[in-house]
Amino acid sequence: MQKITNDDVDVVIVGLGWAGSIMAIELAQAGLKVRALERGPDRPPEDFAYPKPADQYAYAIRNKVFATPRDAALTVRYNTGETALPTRKWGAFAPGTGVGGSGLHWTGVLIRPTPTDLKLKTYADKAYKRGTLDPDMRVKDFPFTWDEIEPHFDKFDKICGLSGNTGNLNGQIQPGGDPFEGPRSNPYPLPALHDTYNSSLFAATAKSMGYHPFPNPSANVSSAWTNPYGSQLAPCNYCGYCSKYPCLNYSKASPQTAILDVVKRMPNFDYKANAMVIRVDLHADKQTARGVTYIDEQQREVFQPAKIVILSSFQFANVRLMLLSGIGKPYDPITETGTIGRNYAFLSNGAATLFFKDKHFNSFATAGATGEMFNDISPGNFDDGIRLGFLGGAKIHSSQSTGAPIGTALPPGTPSWGQGWKEGMVDWYDRSMKIGITTTCQSYRGHFLDLDPTYKDPWGQPLLRMTFDWRQNELKLQRYLREIVGKIAKEMKPDFMSESFLGLDSHWDITKYVSTHNVGGAIMGDSPRDSALNRYLQSWDVHNVFVPGGNAFPQNFQANPTATIGAITLFAAEAIKNHYLKSPGPLVQA
Ligand SMILES: Cc1cc2nc3c(=O)[nH]c(=O)nc-3n(C[C@H](O)[C@H](O)[C@H](O)COP(=O)(O)OP(=O)(O)OC[C@H]3O[C@@H](n4cnc5c(N)ncnc54)[C@H](O)[C@@H]3O)c2cc1C
Ligand code: SF4
């Protein structure tokens, strides 16, 4: 294979999704020469903006902008006694590929975790009697305080034009918002999106039962917005084609709409699409990186020298690149030594679908992040978890995503094809709504990522191996939430209802979509003994490598992850600009 060496840069960024784009603009604005390498194709907005159609078959069924197993296959098993097998087709999660990453086709629910979520270990140690929880649980606190991270959440809210109702402004609870949210330094930048019929029914019922619903915090903007980088977003037109689609109207915050148009115009930034990074190259002492190696579009091996390496290639790709490059020590679940791969966690969801003979929901007029949710059932806000012996919680929500023609919810028993299906569609299209749950998922000693000993990618490198299954803690939580959803649904008096929740004997299923909220594997922490990164996402082992992404979360909270990915990336970018550039070296002494 032909080998080439590129010109030097200050910073090389691996992966141009949300985390990579934030790093790109922040470090380019500091005057550094920045180059991003993205494994997938370029995806300029004109490729999908109006008048291009939002084609459900191409995007949501044929996964037009998702990574394929060729780019990102991994092997999976439930426990170390099994042989892991490779994924042949995406199911449970849908990572992106190409400029914008998953941030191009995300839904846009931009919610922060609560202060308790960030200090879960402290909370659990205080609230639960010793010995009540699974002895293999390994939850940890995030290594910063609410006050330290809040300004970065605030900045990311503004980058995205967050739309919604403020719940807690500087400690004062505000009407109409989430009373459980941590104190904000500023109100939401924009007002909430309009409610849909289903979510207003859900919110009224939940409120009458004592819960505290509020509009989903949304990065589908409710009004025109100019963000701090100068990017302009247009008001959402409620076309409904958000989740799994790029927005055709410049209304959903994404790397393209919020950041890239600005940074692409800077002379000290450039990027290469179709550049698959295969390793980080280290100096002989393994204390610092000298750059990265990638395979370019012509299948040539290219070395990109750089002073700083940012791994922002999505949670599991970041962990794999660290393992492939010898950054840090791989985790061993038996001895619990090593840090790379530990604390992998996912999340579970579930839903009840309510059918009403006499209602029309206008389900085709919606946005990805419209809807209402409540946070009463999250750690620290309710006591039943302590009584029932599980740690965790969920946001319970009703959004609207049933209007797209393929996959409309039909009553149980309706044939999935032919005359019976047609009759079902005629009778029931637009007459159902969902109440869903998005749950926490704790980390465990036996849930981890490592390199597969058998299966390799097209470049001969081992695939990532995922060892994961549901634990009783998460399944008991699901059983509890199913009851709550059932009670709300009953109050709403549907004609009938179908449910999809996990049972106590359920196993994780790689073939069914859950979410792309994968976390852990290269977590942030206070000590190199049990974390891969310090509070600034800097590798404890190789100080010029920073690793922003969901990989840094020690466990999963009930909030969607991207607000936190944005905040910790901005926190790390600030530390690089203000401290690392002046004095390159570890930013936290171990
Ligand atoms: C359908 C869907 C809906 C979602 N909805 C929400 C939501 O409502 N709210 C929320 O908070 N989150 C949501 N998410 C999750 C959200 O998209 C991710 O949390 C976020 O995009 C992660 O950002 P990232 O920068 O870490 O990774 P990404 O955005 O995935 O970017 C990583 C980039 O790295 C590239 N890359 C990978 N490996 C390499 C390599 N070896 N060399 C070069 N480049 C590489 C990838 O191609 C990709 O472009 C959703 C995700 C999906 C798929
Ligand atoms: S619903 Fe709004 S944000 Fe979503 S794709 Fe349509 S216009 Fe864009």
Side-chain angles (χ1 to χ4, degrees):
M1 190 183 281
Q2 193 182 348
K3 294 199 176 165
I4 299 170
T5 297
N6 280 346
D7 56 319
D8 270 6
V9 295
D10 295 316
V11 182
V12 65
I13 291 179
V14 180
L16 203 48
W18 266 127
S21 302
I22 293 169
M23 279 291 187
I25 194 160
E26 291 289 326
L27 300 182
Q29 284 184 339
L32 299 175
K33 184 173 175 189
V34 178
R35 175 164 298 151
L37 302 172
E38 165 54 50
R39 74 172 167 204
D42 201 0
R43 298 198 194 279
E46 52 276 19
D47 278 7
F48 41 80
Y50 187 79
K52 295 264 165 44
D55 178 340
Q56 189 191 5
Y57 191 70
Y59 284 104
I61 309 294
R62 304 293 296 171
N63 303 337
K64 186 170 174 182
V65 289
F66 298 177
T68 61
R70 180 184 185 276
D71 300 318
L74 37 79
T75 68
V76 290
R77 60 180 180 173
Y78 290 143
N79 56 59
T80 49
E82 293 182 338
T83 303
L85 293 173
T87 47
R88 301 284 184 201
K89 177 172 177 284
W90 287 123
F93 28 78
T97 196
V99 171
S102 320
L104 182 65
H105 62 269
W106 73 318
T107 308
V109 177
L110 191 72
I111 182 169
R112 301 176 179 188
T114 65
T116 307
D117 294 333
L118 297 183
K119 297 291 174 198
L120 193 67
K121 171 94 170 82
T122 303
Y123 163 73
D125 286 350
K126 238 194 232 163
Y128 289 75
K129 273 204 205 113
R130 193 179 280 273
T132 346
L133 294 171
D134 185 332
D136 278 350
M137 197 182 278
R138 293 292 180 269
V139 298
K140 287 169 62 61
D141 289 348
F142 280 75
F144 39 66
T145 63
W146 181 261
D147 288 347
E148 284 173 314
I149 200 68
E150 199 285 334
H152 304 286
F153 276 118
D154 186 61
K155 181 165 176 181
F156 194 53
D157 289 350
K158 290 176 179 140
I159 291 171
C160 293
L162 178 68
S163 304
N165 289 353
T166 306
N168 179 337
L169 188 58
N170 293 312
Q172 300 294 316
I173 302 302
Q174 308 293 308
D178 175 12
F180 302 109
E181 72 174 0
R184 293 174 171 270
S185 49
N186 284 296
Y188 279 49
L190 290 172
L193 291 166
H194 295 296
D195 245 356
T196 48
Y197 180 38
N198 69 301
S199 56
S200 55
L201 288 179
F202 163 77
T205 310
K207 204 167 174 185
S208 73
M209 295 171 73
Y211 299 114
H212 299 84
F214 59 97
N216 290 346
S218 164
N220 316 146
V221 301
S222 60
S223 319
W225 177 249
T226 303
N227 79 7
Y229 299 131
S231 296
Q232 295 178 324
L233 287 106
C236 170
N237 68 10
Y238 300 86
C239 78
Y241 291 93
C242 259
S243 189
K244 303 192 174 175
Y245 304 81
C247 173
L248 45 69
N249 199 47
Y250 294 85
S251 305
K252 176 170 69 176
S254 67
Q256 272 80 349
T257 54
I259 299 175
L260 292 174
D261 272 357
V262 177
V263 73
K264 277 186 196 173
R265 289 187 214 135
M266 296 178 70
N268 53 334
F269 170 79
D270 64 25
Y271 68 105
K272 293 181 189 300
N274 301 304
M276 171 67 106
V277 174
I278 55 168
R279 68 173 171 271
V280 179
D281 297 273
L282 304 183
H283 285 289
D285 63 3
K286 306 236 181 241
Q287 309 276 304
T288 46
R290 43 190 201 97
V292 303
T293 296
Y294 66 95
I295 308 294
D296 76 0
E297 210 168 352
Q298 289 88 43
Q299 297 303 303
R300 297 173 302 188
E301 192 173 301
V302 185
F303 175 60
Q304 175 60 62
K307 295 190 188 69
I308 297 177
V309 174
I310 307 289
L311 294 183
S312 48
S313 58
F314 189 73
Q315 176 262 340
F316 46 73
N318 283 345
V319 177
R320 178 166 179 252
L321 279 171
M322 291 179 89
L323 290 166
L324 289 173
S325 312
I327 300 174
K329 194 173 159 212
Y331 171 65
D332 177 342
I334 301 191
T335 57
E336 288 202 73
T337 54
T339 53
I340 314 302
R342 72 191 299 155
N343 284 52
Y344 173 71
F346 194 35
L347 85 145
S348 65
N349 60 14
T353 307
L354 285 59
F355 293 86
F356 297 86
K357 282 186 191 140
D358 63 345
K359 294 196 196 314
H360 269 298
F361 289 100
N362 289 339
S363 46
F364 37 81
T366 184
T370 47
E372 295 260 350
M373 63 168 78
F374 63 82
N375 231 345
D376 301 55
I377 314 295
S378 66
N381 300 340
F382 75 116
D383 290 336
D384 287 350
I386 302 172
R387 184 173 57 78
L388 297 169
F390 62 80
L391 172 64
K395 60 186 173 67
I396 300 184
H397 48 88
S398 183
S399 308
Q400 175 97 301
S401 57
T402 49
I406 307 172
T408 291
L410 294 175
T414 308
S416 56
W417 59 284
Q419 188 62 23
W421 175 80
K422 285 183 188 160
E423 285 167 11
M425 275 298 263
V426 169
D427 291 344
W428 291 103
Y429 177 74
D430 200 36
R431 293 188 188 275
S432 68
M433 59 166 278
K434 277 190 199 304
I435 303 176
I437 57 170
T438 303
T439 75
T440 52
C441 179
Q442 310 310 349
S443 47
Y444 296 89
R445 177 183 181 158
H447 289 173
F448 66 103
L449 305 170
D450 64 356
L451 293 178
D452 191 276
T454 310
Y455 294 96
K456 298 201 166 31
D457 70 9
W459 299 279
Q461 304 210 95
L463 297 187
L464 193 70
R465 178 169 63 177
M466 183 179 282
T467 305
F468 180 77
D469 199 0
W470 301 128
R471 304 291 284 235
Q472 281 301 302
N473 184 76
E474 279 59 45
L475 297 175
K476 280 194 226 164
L477 168 65
Q478 276 258 344
R479 183 176 59 180
Y480 174 73
L481 294 165
R482 178 185 192 162
E483 262 179 47
I484 295 182
V485 170
K487 282 183 191 153
I488 300 171
K490 205 167 153 207
E491 283 293 308
M492 294 177 74
K493 301 191 176 45
D495 291 294
F496 49 90
M497 179 174 110
S498 65
E499 288 180 305
S500 58
F501 292 95
L502 300 172
L504 284 182
D505 55 354
S506 295
H507 286 284
W508 178 56
D509 182 350
I510 178 79
T511 66
K512 293 207 176 87
Y513 189 71
V514 178
S515 80
T516 312
H517 302 180
N518 312 70
V519 302
I523 64 170
M524 61 198 317
D526 288 321
S527 159
R529 200 178 41 79
D530 57 5
S531 60
L533 313 173
N534 66 25
R535 69 208 300 259
Y536 304 115
L537 304 174
Q538 180 184 37
S539 160
W540 288 109
D541 300 278
V542 180
H543 67 70
N544 61 342
V545 172
F546 293 79
V547 194
N551 52 274
F553 299 12
Q555 60 277 331
N556 217 348
F557 31 70
Q558 67 284 345
N560 312 45
T562 309
T564 307
I565 293 173
I568 60 178
T569 305
L570 287 163
F571 189 44
E574 187 183 77
I576 296 172
K577 289 189 290 187
N578 294 345
H579 304 295
Y580 189 80
L581 294 179
K582 289 178 194 145
S583 171
L587 290 165
V588 177
Q589 289 310 319

